[in-house]
């Protein structure tokens, strides 16, 4: 098992063993700075400021999705909805930090109440998801498609024998596949950027998701479905540049 029990604490500190995934430094991922333009995340490369993948997806959300979100906020009440969103974000940030440190072999322990919950979620991702990753090229990898967009993916590695873009997601409740099409578009966007930067041929994305109740789900996008989401994202890039705010990148 990839963990040890820390002294004086009532939950486990996750540590990677020598037999777990190995690092392969064959790709040198670019460094960049983040900048907010009109409240939206952009990445700065020399003189180029590129909108993030999530900025593009948010800007080009369908009217149906925006309406659904608005109805949820109305049902929950603005204050309660904001609390749920903030708690989810904090839990997701903590889980990502734990998983990043695990992948890097550094180990990490967050003793806050949010951290303890995120820790148990991360353990599910490690045991059920990362156990299938034999090698990784980088974690928290910045990627960009010159002139179009940029972003940061959680992990690039070999999943069940194939190169893949991997993202970790937390959720308040289990998801159906049809609810997370934007996640697949996001993975496709990162893969296309990786392919253009490093002349790779990545056509597989993996969403490793865990609910706050520790229920693990894994969604794989590849083949014709991957192509469909790649085309869909490029269509949304085009839409973004036609309708983006004038001061945005």
């Amino acid at each position: 098992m990839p963990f040890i029990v820390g002294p004086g604490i009532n939950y486990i500190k996750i540590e990677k063993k020598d037999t777990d995934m190995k690092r392969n430094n064959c790709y040198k991922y670019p460094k960049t700075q983040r900048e907010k333009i009109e409240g939206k995340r952009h990445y700065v490369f020399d003189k180029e400021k590129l909108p993030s993948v999530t900025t593009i997806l948010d800007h080009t959300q369908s009217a149906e999705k925006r309406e659904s979100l608005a109805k949820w906020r109305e049902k929950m009440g603005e204050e309660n909805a904001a609390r749920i969103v903030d708690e989810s974000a904090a839990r997701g940030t903590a889980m990502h930090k734990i998983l990043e440190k695990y992948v890097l072999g550094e180990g990490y322990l967050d003793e806050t109440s949010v951290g303890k919950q995120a820790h148990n979620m991360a353990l599910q991702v490690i045991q059920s998801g990362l156990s299938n990753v034999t090698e990784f090229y980088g974690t928290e990898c910045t990627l960009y498609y010159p002139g179009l967009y940029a972003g940061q993916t959680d992990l690039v590695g070999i999943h069940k024998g194939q190169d893949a873009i991997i993202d970790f997601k937390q959720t308040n409740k289990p998801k159906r596949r049809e609810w997370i099409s934007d996640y697949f578009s996001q993975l496709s966007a990162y893969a296309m950027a990786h392919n253009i930067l490093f002349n790779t041929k990545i056509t597989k994305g993996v969403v490793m998701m865990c609910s706050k109740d520790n229920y693990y789900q894994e969604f794989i996008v590849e083949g014709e479905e991957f192509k469909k989401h790649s085309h869909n994202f490029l269509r949304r890039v085009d839409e973004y540049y036609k309708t983006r705010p004038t001061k945005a990148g």
Side-chain angles (χ1 to χ4, degrees), residues 49-175:
K49 296 181 181 180
L50 298 175
S52 71
V53 170
T54 51
T55 291
I56 291 171
L57 290 173
D58 180 66
H59 183 78
T60 58
Q61 272 186 359
S62 66
E64 181 182 14
K65 189 169 184 179
R66 291 182 187 279
E67 183 179 351
S68 176
L69 181 60
K71 286 182 177 179
W72 175 79
R73 285 186 170 276
E74 183 179 358
K75 177 182 178 181
M76 301 304 297
E78 195 58 41
E79 185 175 336
N80 193 35
R83 177 186 59 78
I84 292 171
V85 170
D86 289 346
E87 287 177 355
S88 298
R91 193 162 50 241
T93 297
M95 188 185 81
H96 276 73
K97 178 85 169 184
I98 294 165
L99 289 169
E100 178 191 1
K101 292 297 185 180
Y102 166 80
V103 170
L104 294 174
E106 298 175 6
Y108 182 73
L109 197 62
D110 183 338
E111 297 188 76
T112 66
S113 57
V114 170
K116 290 180 179 181
Q117 187 176 34
H119 178 277
N120 291 329
M121 294 164 66
L123 185 59
Q124 297 300 319
V125 174
I126 291 167
Q127 292 176 332
S128 300
L130 289 179
S131 58
N132 293 313
V133 179
T134 53
E135 194 171 319
F136 76 100
Y137 305 117
T139 180
E140 297 298 318
C141 305
T142 297
L143 299 166
Y144 70 100
Y145 198 110
L148 292 182
Y149 63 86
Q152 194 172 63
T153 188
D154 296 330
L155 189 67
V156 184
I158 300 176
H159 178 267
K160 295 184 178 179
Q162 289 179 282
D163 283 353
I165 302 294
I166 300 165
D167 254 14
F168 309 131
K169 303 291 186 183
Q170 83 85 37
T171 182
N172 289 331
K173 60 181 181 180
K175 294 284 194 289

Side-chain angles (χ1 to χ4, degrees), residues 1 10-11 13 18 29 37 42 44 53 67-68 93 103 122-123 133 151 164 214 217 225 228 249:
M1 298 289 284
N10 59 3
Y11 67 112
K13 179 179 180 181
D18 291 339
Y29 294 104
I37 300 178
H42 287 66
V44 182
V53 170
E67 183 179 351
S68 176
T93 297
V103 170
L123 185 59
V133 179
N214 300 321
Q217 292 177 282
E225 187 184 15
K228 182 191 77 172

Side-chain angles (χ1 to χ4, degrees), residues 168-185:
F168 309 131
K169 303 291 186 183
Q170 83 85 37
T171 182
N172 289 331
K173 60 181 181 180
K175 294 284 194 289
R176 293 180 182 176
R177 189 179 186 89
E178 59 266 29
W179 296 348
I180 60 168
S181 60
D182 274 6
Y183 290 168
F184 297 146
S185 294

Side-chain angles (χ1 to χ4, degrees), residues 15-70:
E15 301 235 348
K16 192 166 72 169
K17 299 189 300 183
D18 291 339
T19 54
D20 292 329
M21 72 182 85
K22 305 294 185 182
R23 179 158 200 165
N24 184 329
N25 291 313
C26 61
Y27 304 119
K28 186 176 181 180
Y29 294 104
K31 294 182 179 180
T32 184
Q33 292 181 330
R34 296 182 186 182
E35 182 177 317
K36 288 286 186 73
I37 300 178
E38 296 191 348
K40 302 298 183 180
R41 180 184 298 172
H42 287 66
Y43 289 79
V44 182
F45 298 91
D46 295 325
K47 296 180 181 179
E48 193 171 40
K49 296 181 181 180
L50 298 175
S52 71
V53 170
T54 51
T55 291
I56 291 171
L57 290 173
D58 180 66
H59 183 78
T60 58
Q61 272 186 359
S62 66
E64 181 182 14
K65 189 169 184 179
R66 291 182 187 279
E67 183 179 351
S68 176
L69 181 60

